[in-house]
Amino acid sequence: MEKRFNILIVVALISLVFNVYTVRVLEKQSDELAQLQHRMQNAEQSYNNVSSSLNNFSHELRQLKEGEAWVLSEKFAPNMEDSSREQVYLQHEVAFREVTSNARVYVQYREVDTDAWTKVPAARQGGLFSSTLVLNPAKFYQYQLVEEGSTVRSGTVNSVPSDYYRPSRLRFGGRGGRITSNGSGSQFRDYTMTFTQGPVYFDFYEIKEVRARIMNGSELVKTLTLPKSGHPYKETEWELRLDGIVATNIFLEIEYVDGSTEELQVWPDPDMMEYEEYIGQPGN
């Protein structure tokens, strides 16, 4: 009886020790879990703080850029009355966010790949500054805005939009049947060449008539006046319909509204269309 009682006491003591150990382990794990949750909360708070700081920085940077935007708007407008085929007058208008009191505003422009600037004063007209650029249609140009007052301020160097002062050249296209080539030239079957001119700002760049001269070697095969389709101030298209024609070269004779003429080779390599010098003068 005493032996059994002793065994029960031992079991009870073991159970008590195990329970105490288990409680200690659980308490330790609970403490570690609480610390982990605390660290996670701190990490989340840190992330939120960083994210908020980045958003604030982005907002401030955007406001700074908007606040420092010097040029509010600008536009180019061709001066049709004073311009000619050799020399184009292009009006430039710009509105600034602010201009220093008594400051002078200029537009300076130059040919691309050159260093010499032509400096033109901009006249103030209400809230706009207006200046005139005199351009050679055979060149490409860059321009820059300059403000001279107690300090000198300049904008970025930009390209003058060439559509406003250079001729709108013909673009080649083709549709329809097939083209076969042999030693004597290219033979066309139900094939149509198209030549498209975009909008033009000056009458002297507007094409009046297009004629095609089709050659086979040195022999003139045919001369055709091409039909025109399109609307004013929009793209205009001319069509050259070919069927069963053998040709080594095809040339376009282009006549402009002002009487000037130009010759353009469009075959055998339409992707390398080359414009020749004007072979006529206005009024010829």
Side-chain angles (χ1 to χ4, degrees):
M1 185 72 175
E2 184 179 356
K3 184 178 180 180
R4 182 179 297 175
F5 179 75
N6 292 335
I7 293 174
L8 289 175
I9 291 176
V10 171
V11 170
L13 289 173
I14 294 174
S15 177
L16 179 62
V17 172
F18 178 76
N19 288 337
V20 171
Y21 173 78
T22 302
V23 169
R24 294 289 179 83
V25 170
L26 290 175
E27 288 177 348
K28 184 178 180 181
Q29 290 179 345
S30 178
D31 290 341
E32 291 176 350
L33 180 60
Q35 291 176 4
L36 179 61
Q37 289 176 339
H38 183 68
R39 287 196 294 268
M40 290 180 65
Q41 289 174 353
N42 289 340
E44 183 177 2
Q45 183 63 39
S46 298
Y47 171 79
N48 291 335
N49 291 339
V50 171
S51 179
S52 177
S53 298
L54 287 174
N55 289 335
N56 290 337
F57 177 74
S58 298
H59 179 68
E60 291 173 1
L61 182 61
R62 184 165 56 253
Q63 286 184 324
L64 182 63
K65 287 183 177 179
E66 291 175 354
E68 289 184 347
W70 184 37
V71 177
L72 292 178
S73 64
E74 62 179 324
K75 68 176 182 178
F76 289 92
N79 181 334
M80 301 184 184
E81 182 177 353
D82 296 330
S83 297
S84 68
R85 184 178 287 276
E86 293 76 25
Q87 189 169 262
V88 169
Y89 288 75
L90 194 60
Q91 200 77 15
H92 177 264
E93 290 185 351
V94 59
F96 297 101
R97 181 175 295 277
E98 62 178 2
V99 175
T100 306
S101 178
N102 299 324
R104 297 180 299 276
V105 175
Y106 297 89
V107 176
Q108 58 183 17
Y109 62 99
R110 66 185 180 188
E111 295 178 21
V112 172
D113 297 328
T114 64
D115 297 324
W117 291 99
T118 299
K119 195 173 182 179
V120 180
R124 188 162 196 164
Q125 300 174 347
L128 296 176
F129 288 84
S130 178
S131 56
T132 300
L133 284 61
V134 183
L135 308 176
N136 181 346
K139 308 291 185 179
F140 290 93
Y141 291 88
Q142 298 172 318
Y143 74 99
Q144 184 181 39
L145 300 172
V146 179
E147 176 189 341
E148 292 183 356
S150 56
T151 60
V152 177
R153 187 177 189 178
S154 60
T156 57
V157 176
N158 296 311
S159 297
V160 179
S162 60
D163 290 346
Y164 286 105
Y165 66 94
R166 288 177 57 84
S168 178
R169 298 300 199 182
L170 289 179
R171 302 191 305 274
F172 172 83
R175 62 174 181 261
R178 66 183 187 275
I179 305 170
T180 58
S181 299
N182 52 43
S184 60
S186 299
Q187 186 170 15
F188 305 88
R189 292 291 181 185
D190 298 321
Y191 186 75
T192 299
M193 290 184 179
T194 59
F195 307 97
T196 306
Q197 184 185 39
V200 293
Y201 293 97
F202 302 100
D203 290 344
F204 48 78
Y205 287 155
E206 182 180 350
I207 295 176
K208 176 182 178 181
E209 186 175 83
V210 179
R211 294 178 294 274
R213 193 170 78 253
I214 304 171
M215 306 290 297
N216 185 7
S218 60
E219 178 186 355
L220 176 63
V221 177
K222 189 177 292 188
T223 299
L224 299 170
T225 298
L226 306 189
K228 178 175 70 172
S229 61
H231 304 280
Y233 308 110
K234 296 183 179 180
E235 290 192 341
T236 306
E237 183 178 272
W238 290 264
E239 289 187 349
L240 173 57
R241 297 181 180 179
L242 302 164
D243 186 24
I245 293 177
V246 177
T248 55
N249 294 283
I250 299 176
F251 298 90
L252 295 186
E253 297 173 351
I254 303 169
E255 181 180 351
Y256 291 88
V257 170
D258 68 349
S260 297
T261 58
E262 195 171 20
E263 185 171 274
L264 172 66
Q265 183 174 1
V266 299
W267 197 260
D269 192 356
D271 292 332
M272 296 295 291
M273 293 194 303
E274 294 182 359
Y275 284 81
E276 302 295 336
E277 295 295 327
Y278 298 115
I279 58 178
Q281 297 296 326
N284 285 4

